[in-house]
Amino acid sequence: MVEELVIAVIAAVCACGLYAMAAARVVRQYERGVVFRLGRLQEGIRGPGFTTILPFVDKLHKVNMQIVTMPVPAQDGITRDNVTVRVDAVIYFKVVDAAEALVRVEDYRFAVSQMAQTSLRSIIGKSDLDDLLSNREKLNQGLELMIDSPAIGWGVQIDRVEIKDVSLPETMKRSMARQAEADRERRARVINADAELQASKKLAEAAKEMSGQPAALQLRLLQTVVAVAAEKNSTLVLPFPVELLRFLERATPAEAVQAVQAVSGAVQAAPSPPAGQPAVAAPTGPTGPTGAATTADAPDAPDATEPGATEPGAPEPGAPGLAAPGLTTTRPKVSSVPPSVPASAPPLDEESQKRQDAQPV
């Protein structure tokens, strides 16, 4: 009898131990427990620590409440300005309602991942390439709102979304590199031009100051000579006044005009030779100044004393104003007719016509 009682007590203790082991559950600090009794959701969320359930009746589901970091696979898309890009991102989210995360959606992690991919493709199509590269904060906020709107009903809160990398085609990279290089060159030229403008203004002010004090210009010239001599000792510097060049530039045209007027007046005011004295021509050799033969060298020319021997176009003996003292005159070139050819010789074309008429038929 006593033995049977001892066996029953031991059996009861073992049954209680097995029951306690089957009913005991431990929930961690970062988890929350959701109990389903015979498939029905029980009210109340089990907090962290030790808790019990009915064995074979209740089922406890633990939900992680930590922030989850999920990478979004790279998505290919075309921007609003028709540029093909490949963009990937990362999303941070956490569960705020464990019961909703288990009841409303089958797998909230997979759902959030798919929603992030579709939202990323949508945001790529609505944005320009410049926005993807430089204005990522605005795109991150827009992407976060697009994912967070449906995720609220799942008991999930989107904490943050970040675009990690934007991959561009190689041709686009080269084009952007050339554009950046051209922009930098343009800015360098603008800066250089601005520096030249400022330097010209300062030089103009310095010239204005030195114009009032000629000694300052001389001192500046001496300083320049010293600087050049210090660099190269073999260099010889001869200062040349710039004012002399300016004087010559101003004086040369006026003096030239005055000289031309003086020569013209002298020619017009020259006295004529006395009557009966021919004009004297300067001996210039076999040919005159213009390359025409003179009468003294022409062997077949008629005598100048004979009547009618004056060449056509030659000056009359008493013609006034044709020769001046100290001036030389040039005779025009005279084509003389050989003595063998008569003066009344018909032209060549008439002679050939007569010869043709005289030939027998």
Side-chain angles (χ1 to χ4, degrees):
M1 186 66 182
V2 177
E3 293 178 358
E4 294 178 357
L5 183 58
V6 172
I7 294 173
V9 170
I10 293 173
V13 172
C14 291
C16 291
L18 292 175
Y19 179 82
M21 292 176 61
R25 294 291 187 273
V26 177
V27 180
R28 296 182 178 90
Q29 181 66 34
Y30 54 85
E31 295 177 341
R32 298 295 182 269
V34 180
V35 179
F36 289 90
R37 181 169 295 172
L38 299 177
R40 186 179 181 89
L41 179 64
Q42 297 293 313
E43 296 181 0
I45 303 299
R46 305 295 176 89
F50 180 81
T51 184
T52 59
I53 59 173
L54 297 177
F56 309 107
V57 176
D58 295 342
K59 189 174 183 181
L60 180 65
H61 292 273
K62 298 178 183 179
V63 180
N64 194 338
M65 305 297 290
Q66 292 177 320
I67 295 178
V68 180
T69 303
M70 177 181 294
V72 180
Q75 302 297 316
D76 294 327
I78 301 177
T79 60
R80 189 166 57 182
D81 50 355
N82 298 325
V83 178
T84 303
V85 295
R86 185 179 180 88
V87 183
D88 57 352
V90 59
I91 183 172
Y92 302 89
F93 68 94
K94 64 180 179 179
V95 177
V96 294
D97 192 343
E100 294 293 332
L102 291 175
V103 175
R104 296 294 182 181
V105 64
E106 179 182 3
D107 188 353
Y108 64 89
R109 289 176 178 268
F110 181 74
V112 171
S113 175
Q114 295 299 315
M115 180 57 65
Q117 295 179 31
T118 56
S119 300
L120 182 58
R121 285 194 293 268
S122 178
I123 206 70
I124 290 173
K126 295 179 181 179
S127 304
D128 296 332
L129 180 61
D130 294 338
D131 295 335
L132 288 175
L133 297 176
S134 60
N135 196 11
R136 292 190 181 184
E137 294 294 334
K138 183 178 179 180
L139 296 180
N140 293 337
Q141 294 177 1
L143 189 59
E144 180 180 348
L145 291 176
M146 293 179 65
I147 302 174
D148 193 32
S149 297
I152 293 177
W154 304 337
V156 177
Q157 179 183 355
I158 304 301
D159 187 70
R160 193 172 183 178
V161 180
E162 292 287 344
I163 295 176
K164 291 199 304 183
D165 187 24
V166 179
S167 300
L168 300 175
E170 293 298 330
T171 55
M172 181 58 63
K173 291 181 180 179
R174 289 193 294 267
S175 300
M176 294 178 66
R178 289 195 299 268
Q179 180 182 0
E181 183 178 359
D183 185 64
R184 287 193 296 269
E185 184 177 358
R186 178 185 62 83
R187 285 184 291 178
R189 290 184 178 180
V190 170
I191 293 173
N192 190 14
D194 191 11
E196 292 292 338
L197 177 61
Q198 295 179 5
S200 63
K201 291 181 179 179
K202 294 298 182 182
L203 289 175
E205 294 178 1
K208 185 177 180 181
E209 293 293 334
M210 290 183 178
S211 62
Q213 298 292 336
L217 183 60
Q218 188 68 21
L219 291 176
R220 181 59 182 168
L221 179 59
L222 294 177
Q223 291 178 359
T224 304
V225 172
V226 171
V228 173
E231 292 180 0
K232 295 181 180 180
N233 296 329
S234 61
T235 302
L236 179 61
V237 180
L238 297 176
F240 189 80
V242 183
E243 288 77 7
L244 181 59
L245 294 178
R246 294 178 181 175
F247 173 75
L248 294 177
E249 290 177 358
R250 291 193 301 266
T252 300
E255 292 180 355
V257 173
Q258 293 177 2
V260 171
Q261 292 178 357
V263 172
S264 301
V267 172
Q268 293 178 2
S272 60
Q277 182 179 357
V280 180
T284 56
T287 58
T290 58
T294 59
T295 57
D297 297 332
D300 296 335
D303 190 4
T305 60
E306 297 179 2
T310 304
E311 294 179 2
E316 295 295 333
L322 295 180
L327 298 177
T328 59
T329 59
T330 303
R331 283 188 171 186
K333 183 178 181 180
V334 179
S335 59
S336 60
V337 181
S340 60
V341 180
S344 61
L348 296 178
D349 54 352
E350 296 181 1
E351 186 69 22
S352 61
Q353 184 68 26
K354 290 180 180 180
R355 291 178 180 178
Q356 291 179 2
D357 295 341
Q359 291 180 1
V361 180

